[in-house]
Amino acid sequence: MSKLKILNFQNLFIENDNRIEFINNQFRKFKRESDNSTYIVFLRKPEEYLEYFLENIINKYNFFPIIKNISNLSKKEKIKYLKEKNFIPLYNPQTFYLDIKKRLPNAMKNLEQFDYVVPYDEIEEFSKRINLKITNPKKDYKSVFNDEIEEFIHKDTKLYKYSLTLWSMIKNNNYQSLQKILKYKGNVDNITKNFITGWAFVKDNNEPCEVELHINGKKIQTTLANKFRPDLKEKNIHPSGNCGFAFKLNNISLSYNDNLEIKIKNYNFNLKMGEKVKQYFSHLK
């Protein structure tokens, strides 16, 4: 069984076993070790984490003289005082753990290096899947914040939304590792009466991949994604642009209730449906 390496700055109690190693450092650039470990990180809603952070700030940062002045203040008073003093550790505390300089793009890239990016609300379901015993100390926080506090957590808010996107990708691909999912790139761009078009490739693989058309769970066609797409080359999405595909709909009539899936062959990865595809099906209602 592979080792689990967990970044746990959320104060979760995780019962240790021989599989678990905790990551305690903050990152400039996160680097995975060349082993078969599974890397996991948990994130909670920014306003909840900020409340948790405020509750624990005296213990975490008691070496700052400024902290001694806020021990008896209410949360609102703490925020006001720390804002006036420009106390940097308070600003975007979750982003701070993912990138020590609080650079949001770097924090997002560091998130992408994990196998599982798990929102707090999904911990119970996730822990059952990998047999982890986790005590979730989540409280039902009632936010005391107003618009004024948004500047303190604006990066954390964007980071959390991105973590939900990554988690959604994991769930939609049967809980595969994010490292596998992010290797696959592609999109179903358009559907017309005669064709389904899009693009797909597998990172670090120079050969074009095959894509499969499935309708209502039945495989209908397979084709090679090797057509030239100058737009993808211009945008630096693919080095040569030779990754487009087209399925010809020979006597196939789609209805609104049909379940359309396009998969990268051998990877069981479903391509995302673009806006034009969604519009096509909405017009079939």
Side-chain angles (χ1 to χ4, degrees), residues 121-241:
D121 293 341
E122 302 279 357
I123 286 176
E124 185 176 354
E125 178 185 350
F126 176 75
S127 60
K128 290 177 182 176
R129 287 184 168 272
I130 60 171
N131 195 28
L132 273 181
K133 293 182 180 179
I134 299 179
T135 301
N136 184 350
K138 181 179 178 181
K139 297 181 181 179
D140 292 326
Y141 284 113
K142 294 181 180 179
S143 180
V144 298
F145 305 137
N146 52 32
D147 293 343
E148 169 184 81
I149 201 61
E150 287 184 4
E151 68 180 86
F152 283 90
I153 57 172
H154 70 284
K155 289 184 179 179
D156 279 8
T157 300
K158 292 179 180 178
L159 184 70
Y160 182 73
K161 286 181 178 178
Y162 188 57
S163 76
L164 294 181
T165 298
L166 296 177
W167 177 249
S168 178
M169 292 169 65
I170 291 167
K171 288 188 74 171
N172 290 340
N173 287 280
N174 199 28
Y175 295 91
Q176 289 189 72
S177 162
L178 196 58
Q179 296 312 297
K180 290 184 178 180
I181 295 169
L182 292 178
K183 286 177 66 175
Y184 320 138
K185 301 289 184 180
N187 193 65
V188 185
D189 292 335
N190 201 7
I191 299 181
T192 66
K193 183 178 179 180
N194 299 313
F195 289 97
I196 300 175
T197 57
W199 57 275
F201 65 92
V202 181
K203 288 178 65 177
D204 303 322
N205 188 340
N206 295 325
E207 297 298 321
C209 64
E210 288 184 281
V211 288
E212 300 174 336
L213 169 62
H214 293 249
I215 300 176
N216 299 326
K218 181 180 179 181
K219 184 169 71 173
I220 307 299
Q221 292 183 41
T222 301
T223 192
L224 198 61
N226 63 351
K227 298 183 182 301
F228 181 52
R229 287 283 302 266
D231 57 323
L232 300 178
K233 183 177 181 181
E234 289 169 7
K235 294 176 182 177
N236 294 319
I237 294 175
H238 188 272
S240 70

Side-chain angles (χ1 to χ4, degrees), residues 241-252:
N242 295 320
C243 60
F245 66 81
F247 290 105
K248 189 171 182 180
L249 298 176
N250 297 314
N251 300 317
I252 297 174

